[in-house]
């Protein structure tokens, strides 16, 4: 039972050397909520001049996914979260045969992969047995199942009966190691976000610390590693709060000072429920593929559950600015809402702030993935004229694809509006091609002047004339500014497309 929280404790008391850790399990892709946790870990550590560690918690052997460590580290690197200590290339390669290298970190607390620290966990489990805080258990799966059935029939809470507590099971027989939960204990956690959290009664029943295969459970491994790696502050998701009593008891049993815990509010969908795939994309890789910028993602995630200060209206912050401002005192206890629309808006803000050459570089992979043979000079010319229209990087594809195709489709009927006929449209294309090809200096301004002069010579309003030219040159009714599009396409290609359209229109005219 969790009692109501009181005021938040001092999070810096007697802990000047701040060390945090992000410890993902390589059991799948990196969730966007995990990005928020990792971000807060890095911000808090660096705000106080400390170190943020990356640790791979891979003791859940049954759920390991080959290549997951590579994916996790690539995602963290792409989003711009850099850790001061973490697994080396050698450690990662040993843990994941799919690892391709290049992201190793290293550090004095190595190894940073739990599966390579198993001897240490076994040592500590033996120490707990010697101190009387743990015991070996050789209960068979059949016996444990029988216990659960009997507890269910008696309508009791499910859990281990304690049968092996006083049996002194020898170490030579197959066994697990269980923690001896003290009876009649209450536990108080001074949480840096929730305030004081109190459990009047511990409902756990002697949980397993070391499995029969010699691997630790999460509880033993994380407590040992947090101690050995001198972690001062543990920032983790709210869902882990229920494990805090066991972790505090383990620290106490081993005579170690626990770190400061800060349980972060959940990331919610707009319906107030925990964010899940029913709301939309939830894995970081999906946002990357959708064309979000890493800077926008970090900025947006920082504001879910944290605020820069009362009365602060600004919402756009660089990572350096977030680092200077971040404080656990401003992390909310209540869940924060993940709005896909707001993230898209913020992404657009960041795209508009990019230097044109930076935006070019970020667009190229998306354009190439769309099957476009990107010409760097053409892209350079058009980027300033589409930048304000983009919210996601792939938004550029329909705007610029006409530049990178050898042939385009045209809706010729769309030209023939507002009194425009095929004969006139053909004349516009033919004479427009000649006018552009004759320009001694070619740019957007000279193209505009030549085509406006043509409209005047034909005695036609410029609007319908430019519609014909637009469709002829780009194949689209909606494009970036027309004359900038013509300039980006190039003098030769623009004139060639106008002549091609004139021929198509000529083929439609009755003999």
């Amino acid at each position: 039972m969790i009692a109501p929280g009181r005021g938040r404790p001092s999070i810096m008391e007697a802990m000047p050397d701040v060390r945090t850790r992000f410890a993902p399990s390589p059991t799948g892709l990196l969730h966007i909520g995990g990005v928020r946790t990792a971000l807060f870990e890095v911000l808090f550590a660096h705000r106080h001049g400390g170190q943020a560690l990356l640790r791979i918690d891979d003791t859940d052997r049954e759920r390991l996914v080959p290549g997951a460590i590579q994916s996790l580290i690539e995602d963290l690197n792409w989003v711009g979260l850099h850790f001061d200590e973490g697994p080396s290339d050698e450690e990662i390669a040993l843990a994941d045969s799919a690892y391709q290298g290049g992201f190793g970190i290293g550090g004095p607390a190595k190894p940073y992969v739990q599966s390579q620290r198993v001897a240490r966990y076994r040592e500590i489990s033996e120490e707990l047995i010697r101190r009387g805080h743990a015991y070996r258990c050789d209960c068979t799966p059949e016996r444990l199942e029988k216990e659960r059935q009997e507890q269910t029939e008696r309508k009791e809470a499910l859990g281990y009966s304690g049968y092996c507590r006083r049996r002194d099971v020898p170490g030579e027989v197959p066994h697990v190691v269980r923690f001896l939960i003290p009876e009649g204990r209450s536990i108080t956690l001074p949480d840096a976000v929730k305030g004081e959290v109190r459990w009047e009664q511990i409902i756990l029943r002697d949980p397993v610390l070391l499995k029969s295969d010699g691997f630790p459970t999460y509880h033993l491994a994380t407590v040992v590693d947090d101690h050995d790696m001198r972690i001062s502050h543990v920032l983790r998701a709210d869902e882990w709060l229920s494990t805090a009593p066991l972790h505090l008891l383990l620290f106490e049993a081993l005579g170690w000072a626990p770190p400061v815990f800060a349980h972060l509010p959940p990331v919610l969908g707009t319906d107030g429920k925990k964010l899940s795939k029913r709301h939309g994309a939830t894995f970081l890789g999906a946002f990357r593929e959708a064309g979000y910028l890493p800077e926008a993602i970090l900025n947006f995630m920082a504001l879910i559950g944290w605020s820069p200060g009362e009365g602060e209206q600004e919402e756009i912050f660089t990572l350096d600015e977030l680092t200077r401002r971040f404080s656990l005192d401003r992390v909310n206890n209540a869940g924060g809402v993940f709005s896909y629309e707001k993230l898209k808006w913020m992404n657009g803000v960041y795209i508009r702030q990019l230097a044109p050459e930076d935006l070019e570089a970020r667009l190229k992979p998306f354009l190439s993935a769309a099957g476009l043979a990107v010409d760097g000079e053409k892209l350079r010319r058009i980027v300033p004229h589409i930048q304000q229209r983009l919210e996601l990087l792939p938004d550029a594809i329909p705007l610029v694809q006409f530049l990178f195709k050898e042939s385009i489709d045209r809706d010729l009927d769309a030209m023939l509006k507002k009194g425009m006929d095929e004969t006139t449209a053909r004349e516009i294309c033919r004479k427009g091609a000649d006018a552009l090809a004759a320009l001694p200096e070619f740019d957007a301004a000279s193209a505009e002047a030549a085509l406006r002069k043509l409209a005047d010579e034909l005695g036609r309003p410029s609007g319908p004339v430019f519609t014909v030219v637009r469709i002829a040159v780009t194949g689209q009714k909606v494009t970036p500014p027309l004359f900038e599009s013509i300039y980006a396409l190039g003098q030769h290609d623009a004139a060639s497309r106008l002549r091609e359209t004139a021929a198509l229109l000529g083929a439609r005219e009755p003999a």
Side-chain angles (χ1 to χ4, degrees):
M1 185 70 177
I2 302 179
R6 289 189 280 178
R8 300 185 185 189
S10 170
I11 60 175
M12 296 301 296
E13 183 177 350
M15 287 195 179
D17 185 15
V18 173
R19 288 170 65 82
T20 65
R21 49 77 167 170
F22 179 57
S25 296
T27 55
L29 301 174
L30 181 58
H31 191 277
I32 196 70
V35 174
R36 200 270 305 265
T37 299
L39 172 61
F40 283 12
E41 300 267 11
V42 170
L43 292 178
F44 183 75
H46 292 172
R47 167 69 177 82
H48 296 285
Q51 300 86 42
L53 283 64
L54 175 64
R55 189 174 74 214
I56 304 300
D57 287 7
D58 63 342
T59 55
D60 189 350
R61 310 305 291 175
E62 294 181 356
R63 297 178 58 219
L64 291 183
V65 175
I69 297 179
Q70 173 86 22
S71 173
L72 285 166
I73 295 178
E74 282 184 355
D75 279 348
L76 290 170
N77 186 70
W78 173 79
V79 85
L81 290 177
H82 303 295
F83 294 85
D84 305 286
E85 298 177 27
S88 65
D89 279 329
E90 292 76 15
E91 291 170 32
I92 303 171
L94 186 61
D96 189 345
S97 60
Y99 180 60
Q100 299 172 11
F103 296 104
I105 305 171
K110 64 181 181 181
Y112 295 87
V113 179
Q114 285 188 336
S115 60
Q116 296 162 29
R117 301 173 59 83
V118 172
R120 174 62 171 159
Y121 308 135
R122 293 173 181 170
E123 173 192 343
I124 294 300
S125 69
E126 289 298 316
E127 178 65 22
L128 287 168
I129 292 172
R130 284 193 295 272
R131 295 186 181 194
H133 296 298
Y135 60 92
R136 300 183 188 92
C137 170
D138 63 354
C139 288
T140 64
E142 293 76 17
R143 179 181 178 83
L144 295 174
E145 178 59 30
K146 183 181 178 183
E147 282 189 0
R148 284 190 288 270
Q149 291 177 355
E150 292 173 349
Q151 290 166 347
T152 300
E153 291 172 0
R154 295 193 297 266
K155 297 182 180 181
E156 296 177 356
L158 300 181
Y160 183 59
S161 66
Y163 172 74
C164 288
R165 277 187 172 190
R166 295 173 181 84
R167 291 187 58 236
D168 195 19
V169 174
E172 294 76 23
V173 303
H175 65 275
V176 300
V177 175
R178 292 183 179 273
F179 185 65
L180 180 60
I181 295 290
E183 297 180 2
R185 278 289 304 273
S186 62
I187 292 288
T188 300
L189 171 70
D191 192 277
V193 170
K194 293 183 171 297
E196 184 179 283
V197 184
R198 184 174 177 83
W199 289 263
E200 295 295 346
Q201 182 179 0
I202 301 172
I203 60 174
L204 294 171
R205 293 191 176 187
D206 295 1
V208 173
L209 298 180
L210 199 71
K211 294 174 282 188
S212 59
D213 62 1
F215 271 79
T217 60
Y218 163 78
H219 308 293
L220 177 63
T222 196
V223 166
V224 173
D225 288 351
D226 285 348
H227 169 75
D228 288 356
M229 296 178 183
R230 299 185 294 110
I231 301 302
S232 65
H233 294 75
V234 172
L235 283 63
R236 60 185 187 179
D238 185 81
E239 63 195 55
W240 293 106
L241 180 61
S242 62
T243 69
L246 173 56
H247 295 179
L248 291 175
L249 288 173
L250 279 167
F251 277 110
E252 180 183 286
L254 290 163
W256 298 339
V260 174
F261 286 90
H263 287 88
L264 306 176
V267 179
L268 307 175
T270 52
D271 58 359
K273 297 179 180 179
K274 185 178 177 181
L275 188 71
S276 68
K277 60 184 179 182
R278 70 175 179 273
H279 297 105
T282 57
F283 295 114
L284 180 61
F287 290 94
R288 180 180 184 177
E289 292 171 2
Y292 288 91
L293 304 188
E295 303 94 322
I297 291 173
L298 290 182
N299 189 159
F300 179 74
M301 295 308 299
L303 299 176
I304 298 182
W306 174 82
S307 61
E310 188 174 350
E312 175 64 70
Q313 298 298 315
E314 182 58 56
E315 294 185 292
I316 305 301
F317 301 100
T318 66
L319 188 59
D320 286 343
E321 290 169 338
L322 289 171
T323 300
R324 290 194 297 270
R325 287 171 172 260
F326 187 79
S327 168
L328 288 177
D329 294 337
R330 292 176 180 166
V331 175
N332 302 318
N333 193 11
V337 174
F338 187 105
S339 167
Y340 290 87
E341 287 303 312
K342 185 168 184 178
L343 174 57
K344 186 182 289 188
W345 164 81
M346 186 172 286
N347 201 65
V349 172
Y350 271 89
I351 286 177
R352 291 187 286 277
Q353 291 179 348
L354 292 176
E357 59 272 17
D358 190 0
L359 179 55
E360 292 168 33
R362 300 193 196 212
L363 287 175
K364 284 180 180 178
F366 289 91
L367 299 176
S368 297
L372 301 176
V374 179
D375 180 307
E377 178 60 22
K378 290 180 178 180
L379 184 60
R380 183 190 66 78
R381 290 177 177 182
I382 203 66
V383 156
H385 307 291
I386 64 169
Q387 189 163 6
Q388 298 301 313
R389 303 187 186 191
L390 306 181
E391 286 189 312
L392 300 172
L393 293 176
D395 291 348
I397 295 171
L399 296 175
V400 304
Q401 59 185 351
F402 72 93
L403 293 172
F404 310 117
K405 291 183 174 182
E406 289 187 10
S407 61
I408 58 174
D409 296 323
R410 303 171 179 85
D411 181 0
L412 299 181
D413 290 333
M415 296 179 175
L416 309 179
K417 303 289 177 71
K418 299 182 179 179
M420 181 66 62
D421 56 54
E422 290 176 344
T423 300
T424 305
R426 182 186 180 198
E427 185 179 15
I428 291 170
C429 291
R430 182 174 55 80
K431 291 186 175 181
D434 293 341
L436 293 179
L439 290 173
E441 293 186 5
F442 184 74
D443 55 24
S446 63
E448 179 178 5
L451 293 174
R452 289 192 181 280
K453 181 180 179 182
L454 173 62
D456 290 341
E457 291 175 351
L458 295 175
R460 291 279 181 169
S462 60
V465 171
F466 294 164
T467 296
V468 170
V469 173
R470 185 186 303 277
I471 294 174
V473 170
T474 70
Q476 303 167 195
K477 290 184 289 186
V478 178
T479 66
L482 174 59
F483 308 111
E484 285 74 9
S485 295
I486 292 173
Y487 172 59
L489 184 62
Q491 188 172 18
H492 175 271
D493 288 350
S496 177
R497 286 188 179 181
L498 283 165
R499 292 192 180 101
E500 180 183 299
T501 307
L504 292 172
L505 288 165
R508 285 166 51 114
E509 291 182 6

